[in-house]
Amino acid sequence: YPIYCLTTVTYPLDLTKTRLQIQGELSKQTKQKVPYRGMLQTALGVAREEGVLKLWQGLTPAVQRHVVYSGCRMGAYEWIRDNVLGREPDGSFPVWKALDVLADFFCQLILSNFYKLQVRGTWHAFTKILAEGGIRGLWKGWVPNVQRAALVNMGDLATYDSAKRFILGHSSLSDGPIVHSLSSACSGIVAASLGTPADVVKTRIMNQPTDSMGRGTLYRSSVDCLVKTVRKEGVMALYKGFIPIWSRMAPWSLTFWLSYEQVRRLSGTTSF
């Protein structure tokens, strides 16, 4: 339920950042002026020209993805942290171990087919993708998807984990809501900073047209997309959509971590 509410409330920010990320690319192709500049102007433009409900287009697969992905990544990260990499003799967990991307790799690989644009709904997305690209089409863009997930979760999980241990070890605060809030604030800004460039690349690769063989016509790979974006639009193009990404990630991270820690406490499980 918290995931459903969070996704519903913050989803317009996700759609807004996607529009921001691809509009520079579209303007280069069509030679037209960029229609929107900035988060608010983009959101208002979409609502005015396409209707308010357009801001929630694609909400259903987004909720489905988050329900599966959140449980998958949390369980996998903690299991790898405690059973594969292991803690230090004093019980601490070094940052280099916290930068665990194995959990993100497998979870994101499984869920890459939920990131599809220009469709009416989940079922329409699956049927359209299967018809146009076959089974392989469901995993179109899985490489940049995994890259983005690794960076975002490295910023989110690793930062929360490390920040929490640092605060508990260097202050008189107890393991409670205040520490959880401070740690989630750190994780939100780091995750947004690390993940935005990869998110831009992921969005552009997955949104590009394909030829009869299912190959992208604009970019050959993540590196090719990165290079062309910087060359044509400048380095700051990699941070298009940063404000809506952070605006969405900050309350999401705060609510998720506070809820998650309380659920663990109520269920008798040790703190994360």
Side-chain angles (χ1 to χ4, degrees), residues 220-232:
R220 296 189 303 273
S221 65
S222 299
V223 174
D224 184 48
C225 179
L226 179 71
V227 172
K228 286 182 177 178
T229 299
V230 172
R231 184 182 299 156
K232 294 178 180 179

Side-chain angles (χ1 to χ4, degrees), residues 233-246:
E233 303 172 50
V235 175
M236 292 310 297
L238 296 175
Y239 280 89
K240 283 186 175 181
F242 175 81
I243 297 299
I245 285 177
W246 178 76

